[in-house]
Amino acid sequence: MSRMCGCPRCGERSFEKLKTYSHCSNCLYAEDSWEGPEAAYLKAMKDIAEIEKAQQQNEEPQRKEKNEIQNCA
């Protein structure tokens, strides 16, 4: 299924948007929106790295509190 809309390059309403590919028949502008099979894996790895980084930042203040010696006076 496709739909026609305005082209980002020439502005004419000749830009056909498809699921994995879009093109303009007027100025021959083309966009490729196909994602490779490893795209989901790479996105998941990036999300995991961000979560681990946030967890490490939350653990650092707790470590400092444990290492401090309480004043018993």
Side-chain angles (χ1 to χ4, degrees):
M1 181 170 203
S2 69
R3 62 177 193 191
M4 301 298 277
C5 58
C7 176
R9 182 189 286 172
C10 68
E12 295 292 323
R13 191 167 174 82
S14 57
F15 190 67
E16 183 178 17
K17 286 194 131 192
L18 304 168
K19 185 175 182 179
T20 59
Y21 178 77
S22 301
H23 69 280
C24 177
S25 59
N26 190 33
C27 68
L28 303 178
Y29 175 74
E31 288 181 354
D32 186 14
S33 55
W34 180 81
E35 290 186 355
E38 71 278 350
Y41 171 76
L42 295 173
K43 183 182 180 309
M45 294 303 292
K46 182 179 175 184
D47 293 343
I48 289 170
E50 289 177 7
I51 291 169
E52 288 175 349
K53 183 179 177 183
Q55 288 175 346
Q56 287 176 354
Q57 289 176 350
N58 289 339
E59 289 176 1
E60 287 178 6
Q62 294 173 356
R63 288 183 188 163
K64 290 178 183 178
E65 291 174 2
K66 288 180 182 177
N67 293 335
E68 292 180 4
I69 298 174
Q70 297 290 330
N71 188 359
C72 297

